[in-house]
Amino acid sequence: MTDYRSVPVVDTARDYRAAPTQPGSRMARRAAAAAPPPPPDDRPPRGHRGGGNGGQGKMRVLAWVSIGVTSLMVAGALTGYTVYRDAFGNITQKSVKEDIINPRPPDTGALNVLLVGSDTRAGAGNAKYGQKLARTADAGGKRTDTIILLHISPDRDKAQLISFPRDSMVQIPRCKNEATKQEMAPRRDMINSAYNSGGIACTISTIETLTGIRVNHFVEVDFNGFKNIVDALGGIEICLKSGVNDKASKLVLPPGKSLLNGEKALGYVRLRHYGDGSDIGRIRRQQIFLSKVIAKATSSDLLTDVGRLRDFVAAAAGSVTMDPELANDTEQLIQIATSARQLTAKGVQLTTIPWQPDPADENRVVWKEPDATKLFTAIKTDTEPTAPAPTASASAKPKVTIKPEQVKVQVLNGTKTFGKAREVADQLAEQGFNVVGVGNYEAAGGQSLAKSEIHYAKTITAAPDHADTLAGAVLPKPAPAAGKVKVTNPQQYVPAAAGAATAPRGTPVIQFVVGEDFDSVKVTKLPDSVKQSTITASEQKNACT
C-alpha cells in the first residue's frame, strides 16, 4: 500500500501494533534545481481571537461560490443546453496535469473537486481588492486564503465540503514552481504557500499527499468573480446578531436580516472585527454564507426564470477557471449541479478540519490527530455505489442484515510488518466490530500474503452473513471463503478503549487475514471534534451569526 500521507505516525506499538511510518521519504528525493522564491509575508493577526489588519482581504469564501457556479450548470440540462452553450464557452480552462509530479492516490469512483479562492490582482476589477504582496510591484501577484474540497459520493447522493484553515502548518511536497517550472524541494510551511509558489498543481499535490484523497478536478474564482456571482443571484440574505460598522471592510449593517449585493458581500466575508474576532468564528460565518449561495443558486425560482438564469450562467461561467476535463464535460458538471440541488433541502455537510494551536507558533495551527486522519479515511473509503436490492422470489430466504457489533473477528497478520494485526484490530474495534483475538498467519513458502482474505467456519449457517459485513468494511474488499486457516501465536485482543462491542454467545468468529494489499478500514464513526466542526442543516437555514 502506498502511504500518501506526509504526516508522521507516532509509534505507540506493543505486540502486534505496527511500526511507525517514515514521513517524507518519497518527497525528499532531491533538492530543487533552483531555490523557490520565499512566500510572501502572510502572517495572521497575533493569536486566533482578534486583531490584525481587516482591510487586507482575507478572502476565504471566494472558492465557495464555485459550488453555486457548478450547481447552475444543471440549467443546461433542465432548460436546454443550447441556450447556454455560448456561456459555457466562456469558462477559462487551465491544464495542470503535467505539473503534478508526485504519485497520486487511486480514483475511487467518488467525485472530488478542489475549490480555490484566488485574490490575484491581475485582471480588470481585481487590483483594488488584491493584497499588496511583498516583492510584487505590479498587479500580477496572487495568493489564496480559501482551500476547500467538495466530495460527492459515488452514488452522487451525498455531498460534503471540507475546509482547510489557510494557516495550517503542513508538509508541502516537492512541486514545480508555477512561473519557472523548476522543481522546489519539500518543506514544512503554511498550506496556502503551496498555491503562492506552485499554483493549483502544487495545491492539488499537497492535498493529495496529506489526505490520500484523489482530487479529480479544480475550480478557481477571484474577487471580481465573487462579486459578479452574488450580484447575478440578486444578492444573498444574511442575519446578524449585532450590527456592524467596520471601517476596515467598509461595511455598515444593522442587526437582523440584510440583503447583500456583491460589494457588501465582499465586505462581509472579509469581516474580522465581529463577534469574538476568532478565525474559526469567521470561517463558520462564511460557511453559512456559502450554504445560502448554494440554496439560492439551485432554487426553482432561479431555474424557472429564463432571463435571470441566462444572466447568472453568463456571470458564473465568466468568473471561474477550471481544468479542461471538467469544463468540457457537461455530464459531470450536471452531476455536480444535480447533487447540490437535491441536497439543498437536507443541507450540504460543511466541515472544518479538526485543528489545534501549533506548539511552535501560537499564530499557526496544526491538524488534530488522529481525528483529521479519521475524517480523511471516511472520505477516501466512501468508494462503493449502493447496489440495487435484488428482486426476491417467493421462496427466497430474506437477507439478514448483520451490524458490526454483532460480528466477532479474529485478526491475523499475513504480512512481514510487525504489529499489523493489532493495528487493524484497533481500527475495526473503533468502527464497532467485536474483535476477540489477534495472531499470525504463515502463508505457503513463508512468503508475505499478497491479498487480504476472510474466512469463516463451513458448518455455521449464519457465518457467511457475518463475513459479508466484515468484507464490506475493509478496502480492498476481500471475497469471503468457507473454511478457516491455521493460526500461529494466537492472543486475546484487549481493546484500547473502554466500551468495546460484545456479541452474543454462539456468534461465529470470522477470520480476517491482513495481506500486503490492505488499505484501510472504512470509517463510519467520526470523532466528536469532527462532528463539532460540522454545521448542521438547521444552522445553515436559520443561523444569525
Side-chain angles (χ1 to χ4, degrees):
M1 177 182 72
T2 303
D3 184 4
Y4 291 97
R5 289 189 55 81
S6 54
V7 179
V9 177
V10 178
D11 181 20
T12 55
R14 62 179 176 83
D15 298 331
Y16 283 87
R17 189 175 296 278
T21 301
Q22 296 299 321
S25 59
R26 185 185 298 275
M27 296 182 292
R29 290 176 179 168
R30 60 183 185 271
D41 184 14
D42 195 21
R43 294 185 66 80
R46 295 294 300 171
H48 288 286
R49 297 188 62 81
N53 186 351
Q56 293 303 308
K58 301 301 183 183
M59 279 302 302
R60 300 186 182 175
V61 79
L62 282 172
W64 299 353
V65 298
S66 302
I67 301 294
V69 173
T70 50
S71 297
L72 255 292
M73 298 305 175
V74 75
L78 297 178
T79 57
Y81 172 68
T82 55
V83 177
Y84 306 99
R85 181 169 50 198
D86 292 341
F88 286 139
N90 290 332
I91 295 174
T92 301
Q93 300 180 26
K94 179 165 64 178
S95 179
V96 298
K97 276 184 175 180
E98 297 76 13
D99 292 333
I100 299 175
I101 58 176
N102 294 290
R104 306 195 67 184
D107 194 335
T108 65
L111 185 58
N112 299 305
V113 183
L114 186 64
L115 309 172
V116 176
S118 170
D119 65 356
T120 176
R121 298 170 66 208
N126 283 325
K128 73 173 182 176
Y129 298 109
Q131 300 177 19
K132 295 178 181 178
L133 301 182
R135 305 175 71 247
T136 304
D138 58 22
K142 71 174 184 179
R143 62 173 59 180
T144 180
D145 285 321
T146 304
I147 303 173
I148 291 184
L149 187 69
L150 165 63
H151 170 74
I152 300 177
S153 66
D155 269 343
R156 308 299 189 251
D157 63 343
K158 292 183 296 182
Q160 188 171 10
L161 290 165
I162 300 94
S163 177
F164 297 83
R166 64 115 197 182
D167 49 357
S168 302
M169 294 300 296
V170 300
Q171 182 73 15
I172 307 293
R174 65 190 184 101
C175 290
K176 287 184 180 180
N177 182 282
E178 187 176 32
T180 67
K181 301 303 179 183
Q182 291 179 317
E183 186 175 312
M184 301 180 293
R187 66 189 188 276
R188 186 175 187 267
D189 208 338
M190 283 175 59
I191 193 170
N192 68 343
S193 72
Y195 185 80
N196 300 344
S197 57
I200 191 67
C202 189
T203 307
I204 290 172
S205 270
T206 299
I207 296 299
E208 289 186 340
T209 56
L210 290 172
T211 67
I213 300 167
R214 176 65 171 252
V215 176
N216 305 103
H217 303 290
F218 75 87
V219 177
E220 291 176 300
V221 63
D222 61 23
F223 281 105
N224 223 36
F226 172 82
K227 286 179 54 184
N228 292 342
I229 290 168
V230 173
D231 282 337
L233 282 172
I236 298 295
E237 185 178 80
I238 55 120
C239 183
L240 298 174
K241 289 181 179 177
S242 58
V244 172
N245 187 353
D246 185 64
K247 292 181 181 178
S249 59
K250 300 177 182 179
L251 186 66
V252 178
L253 293 172
K257 295 181 178 180
S258 294
L259 182 66
L260 306 186
N261 63 13
E263 190 76 35
K264 288 183 177 179
L266 189 58
Y268 174 73
V269 297
R270 299 169 76 183
L271 184 62
R272 297 191 65 87
H273 304 293
Y274 182 78
D276 64 7
S278 72
D279 187 57
I280 299 304
R282 183 177 48 176
I283 288 177
R284 199 169 188 86
R285 290 194 302 272
Q286 293 169 342
Q287 287 177 324
I288 292 173
F289 185 89
L290 167 62
S291 72
K292 294 179 182 297
V293 170
I294 296 173
K296 196 161 188 178
T298 57
S299 69
S300 58
D301 289 346
L302 181 62
L303 293 175
T304 56
D305 187 328
V306 176
R308 284 181 60 207
L309 185 57
R310 184 184 291 108
D311 292 343
F312 179 77
V313 172
S319 300
V320 299
T321 299
M322 300 180 186
D323 57 282
E325 292 78 17
L326 179 59
N328 295 319
D329 190 342
T330 307
E331 178 65 28
Q332 201 150 82
L333 286 170
I334 290 171
Q335 283 184 5
I336 296 172
T338 305
S339 297
R341 189 183 185 203
Q342 291 174 343
L343 292 166
T344 299
K346 304 184 221 175
V348 179
Q349 286 190 56
L350 305 169
T351 302
T352 302
I353 300 297
W355 60 274
Q356 60 192 19
D358 183 358
D361 186 348
E362 64 178 6
N363 297 304
R364 301 289 184 257
V365 301
V366 292
W367 298 344
K368 185 178 181 180
E369 293 293 359
D371 298 14
T373 297
K374 290 178 181 177
L375 173 61
F376 302 146
T377 302
I379 295 166
K380 71 180 182 180
T381 57
D382 178 18
T383 58
E384 294 184 0
T386 304
T391 304
S393 65
S395 60
K397 190 175 180 180
K399 177 72 175 177
V400 178
T401 300
I402 305 295
K403 297 179 180 179
E405 56 267 25
Q406 297 174 288
V407 180
K408 286 184 178 180
V409 185
Q410 182 185 44
V411 183
L412 308 179
N413 187 0
T415 74
K416 300 302 180 183
T417 303
F418 176 77
K420 198 66 178 178
R422 175 78 196 199
E423 176 192 342
V424 176
D426 287 346
Q427 293 179 24
L428 286 168
E430 285 181 352
Q431 299 308 310
F433 285 90
N434 181 12
V435 182
V436 295
V438 293
N440 291 329
Y441 169 73
E442 293 293 335
Q447 299 297 312
S448 187
L449 186 67
K451 294 184 177 182
S452 300
E453 299 175 354
I454 290 179
H455 296 271
Y456 59 88
K458 296 179 180 179
T459 57
I460 302 177
T461 305
D465 291 331
H466 289 249
D468 286 343
T469 296
L470 176 60
V474 297
L475 290 174
K477 183 178 181 179
K484 288 195 170 184
V485 298
K486 184 179 179 181
V487 183
T488 61
N489 194 27
Q491 295 183 17
Q492 183 179 0
Y493 172 76
V494 179
T502 56
R505 281 189 177 184
T507 301
V509 175
I510 310 300
Q511 292 179 327
F512 178 50
V513 188
V514 182
E516 292 290 350
D517 69 333
F518 172 79
D519 183 79
S520 59
V521 174
K522 290 187 178 182
V523 173
T524 58
K525 296 183 178 181
L526 289 169
D528 289 341
S529 64
V530 175
K531 297 174 185 176
Q532 291 163 3
S533 65
T534 300
I535 299 178
T536 65
S538 176
E539 286 179 289
Q540 292 175 34
K541 290 181 180 179
N542 307 313
C544 274
T545 57

